[in-house]
Amino acid sequence: MSLIPDELTATVLSAVESLPRLQKAKLLLDHSLALLEAGQYGSVVEAYLDVYLRTPDLPKDDIARALVARGRARKGAGQRLLLMASHDLHTASTFDPSNRELQCYMRREPVIHFSGVPASQRVPPEIWDRIASFIPRYFLRTWLFVSSFHRDIALRRIFHTVDLYLCEDSDSWNRTLDIFDGVKVDPLFSRRIRTLRVHWAYDGGDMLDVMSRLFRTALPEFRALEEFEWIGYPELQAEMVQVLLKNHPNLVKLGLIGWHFDAVGVSEFTSLKRFTLRAEDDDGFADMDEVRTVLDNNADTLTHLTLGAYLARAHSWDSAFGSPTVQNLTHLELVDTRISDVVLARIAHAHNLVSLTLHGTLDMPAAATAIFSADHVAPSPDAGTRASAMSAPMHVFLPHLEVFRFALVGHDDDRLLFGAVVQFLRARPRLRRLDLGSCPWDLVRGLLPELTGLRVLRVRIASLSSLTVNALVRGLPREMHAIHLACAVSDRPMHEYAPAFARFGTLSMLHLHGTSIRRPQASRMHGKELLLQTDAWLAHARDVALAVPSVDYVGWHGEHFVVVRHPTRVAPVRAGLGVGVELKELPVRRRLDCGKGVDLGSDDAMWMERKDVPIDYEISGLEL
């Protein structure tokens, strides 16, 4: 027999009245926090929390939770009211700009009146957040100890992207469990995470089942997730695709990086802006035609496509490139893959492309040569006018190109192809990043002076000398941000060329890379000799940082270091700037299970070091 509403209310009240005083208080606190979490802050919640805090003998932890929750709610409400007040005053000023009372409210005090106020209060939070966006995460960690204000900004930046490693390593396993627990109990921490990259390394067994169940239960708690990447083995399969669709149907970026394409049903996502797939061949559970379906179903939103395979396996992207969505792309990366003439012809008609990466091998180099050779500068309809003289030339083939990588395997001797590519790149002052792989240096040298907007360059000079280094430096704009210089042989130790790059005052990363040079190996020497050789090797890397005062990151023969500069009374003679230099070694990128690798401080550096996509470029015949 069901109770009528009044009887139900009376019964609930009777049950609450029978509870001990502290349990009543706990019930009141939980209800108040639930209302705040639902965004229902108001006078009722204020009254609830006021009564709760006046209750004697409450646990200190619960009092702190109540105060923090109320303080956060009051602060948010106050900021909303201030924003509304500012909007009202500005609107009023459009109707009566001469109103004296209005002028009094909107008057700005001179900055000198705030000289005693901390900078964090004088400068709007948006400015500090903008500053933080330019600081590498390695250095941003120092903000955690400056103030609570700076700590909040740093945490938001640092935890924007989280990598979880689900493998047999106990340290990685424990960290992953900590993250899972954190997102469950701390909604604020959960909302900071916008990008989640999950690295799997299980062949099967009970642990895989356990971690899969833990992952399923934790996935809904990542409440602000925008980007998701599944990396490693086992690959993302149909069952987990449905779990992901159920909890995060509006993902804007999705990456599937493994050996096979097993994600049956992934085409059900319909709001993707970026899609990344790495599959060695066509032998997965999912039909490769589903890649085209992904493109078709996201035609209104997809602008960034990354496809990777494995050159030693049979594969084809011809079906995917039959989608009309290709014409809408602004960013396209083909990595470690065969590029057919069909694909290249479709790329030629993707006029919106701003960034293009072609990495792998061409099925028909002659067709590619013809396509690149066909590019020319279209005549301007306003030819002869002053506006036409000041504007950049408009190319027929990819007119908006700003980023270009052309790193091929097996075409090193095809000068006709590289000549056509270089001709295609001429008269492009908007080109900002360039990587021509193994293109002959004499062709690159003639191109560089025309690229006045270039800021990032990766170049290979087979035989390095003072003359070639000087030619390289003279041909580049002074505003360069990142340079990777590789060579097969060098007339001198490469660190001795570093002073030539000091002319670039904004250079944040310099990588000098001898393709045959590696760190001293314990398998070839031991004991004191190994220590001496290693110390000398690291000292030369440090010499690069000393010679170029602006760099924050140094690349040295394939390894990466972050540069830490600190004041010192006895500065090294070659530095001459009263600072000491210390190098912190960064971990190397692991094959396939390590996403985009460590943070190198900027998107420019990540792109230059070929870590801009979570697909490993390292293959036989192509150095890192």
Side-chain angles (χ1 to χ4, degrees), residues 39-105:
Q40 298 181 22
Y41 172 71
S43 59
V44 175
V45 178
E46 278 280 354
Y48 289 166
L49 290 175
D50 182 62
V51 171
Y52 172 79
L53 291 171
R54 286 191 281 108
T55 304
D57 302 325
L58 293 174
K60 293 182 179 179
D61 291 346
D62 287 348
I63 294 176
R65 287 175 61 203
L67 290 173
V68 168
R70 187 173 69 175
R72 187 180 298 166
R74 286 176 171 178
K75 182 178 180 180
Q79 290 175 342
R80 288 191 293 272
L81 288 173
L82 287 174
L83 184 63
M84 294 169 63
S86 176
H87 181 267
D88 288 344
L89 293 174
H90 281 284
T91 303
S93 67
T94 61
F95 292 100
D96 188 6
S98 62
N99 188 300
R100 292 189 176 183
E101 184 179 3
L102 178 64
Q103 292 174 357
C104 179
Y105 277 112

Side-chain angles (χ1 to χ4, degrees), residues 141-153:
R141 293 183 300 176
T142 59
W143 283 34
L144 299 174
F145 312 102
V146 175
S147 69
S148 59
F149 174 82
H150 292 86
R151 178 182 174 84
D152 287 342
I153 295 176

Side-chain angles (χ1 to χ4, degrees), residues 163-447:
D163 287 84
L164 300 180
Y165 295 88
L166 304 180
C167 56
E168 301 293 346
D169 180 65
S170 59
D171 292 338
S172 299
W173 190 70
N174 290 330
R175 179 181 178 273
T176 296
L177 293 181
D178 290 341
I179 295 292
F180 284 168
D181 291 340
V183 297
K184 290 177 181 178
V185 302
D186 189 347
L188 180 60
F189 172 67
S190 171
R191 290 192 179 94
R192 287 193 176 114
I193 301 174
R194 302 301 178 89
T195 299
L196 180 63
R197 299 199 295 244
V198 186
H199 309 258
W200 292 83
Y202 284 108
D203 290 330
D206 294 339
M207 282 304 300
L208 174 60
D209 295 336
V210 171
M211 294 307 296
S212 297
R213 286 197 298 270
L214 289 174
F215 178 72
R216 286 192 190 93
T217 57
L219 189 60
E221 305 300 332
F222 294 91
R223 308 178 186 185
L225 207 59
E226 298 175 354
E227 180 177 359
F228 179 80
E229 290 178 4
W230 181 291
I231 302 165
Y233 183 85
E235 292 85 351
L236 184 69
Q237 297 183 2
E239 181 181 358
M240 201 64 77
V241 168
Q242 295 305 314
V243 173
L244 195 60
L245 277 165
K246 178 181 177 181
N247 294 289
H248 302 285
N250 298 317
L251 284 176
V252 296
K253 299 179 182 179
L254 179 62
L256 313 175
I257 300 92
W259 282 272
H260 302 290
F261 178 37
D262 292 340
V264 177
V266 73
S267 56
E268 295 180 35
F269 287 96
T270 57
S271 56
L272 296 178
K273 295 181 180 179
R274 178 175 184 176
F275 179 65
T276 300
L277 172 64
R278 194 269 185 183
E280 285 192 354
D281 49 34
D282 302 347
D283 199 26
F285 293 143
D287 193 313
M288 294 303 289
D289 286 340
E290 187 156 0
V291 179
R292 172 168 181 169
T293 308
V294 171
L295 271 62
D296 291 340
N297 291 350
N298 293 272
D300 295 334
T301 57
L302 192 70
T303 58
H304 194 155
L305 178 64
T306 302
L307 298 175
Y310 180 51
L311 286 178
R313 300 282 186 88
H315 60 273
S316 172
W317 302 115
D318 291 358
S319 172
F321 274 78
S323 172
T325 306
V326 172
Q327 297 184 7
N328 302 333
L329 297 178
T330 59
H331 295 71
L332 173 63
E333 288 110 7
L334 299 179
V335 179
D336 196 5
T337 187
R338 296 182 178 276
I339 304 169
S340 69
D341 57 320
V342 174
V343 169
L344 204 56
R346 292 287 294 156
I347 292 174
H349 291 88
H351 299 301
N352 293 318
L353 280 177
V354 174
S355 174
L356 175 62
T357 288
L358 300 176
H359 170 271
T361 187
L362 298 171
D363 286 349
M364 299 182 63
T369 302
I371 290 174
F372 283 110
S373 299
D375 178 51
H376 61 276
V377 177
S380 172
D382 301 322
T385 66
R386 182 177 179 183
S388 174
M390 296 177 64
S391 63
M394 183 62 71
H395 285 253
V396 174
F397 183 15
L398 306 185
H400 307 294
L401 196 64
E402 297 178 6
V403 179
F404 184 64
R405 175 182 286 122
F406 192 71
L408 300 184
V409 180
H411 302 288
D412 293 359
D413 299 327
D414 196 337
R415 288 187 63 89
L416 286 177
L417 173 61
F418 283 115
V421 171
V422 168
Q423 185 63 34
F424 153 75
L425 293 172
R426 292 191 182 280
R428 291 184 183 265
R430 286 196 293 261
L431 194 69
R432 192 177 188 280
R433 300 175 183 169
L434 178 63
D435 175 4
L436 287 180
S438 56
C439 181
W441 163 241
D442 59 313
L443 295 178
V444 178
R445 180 180 57 194
L447 170 67

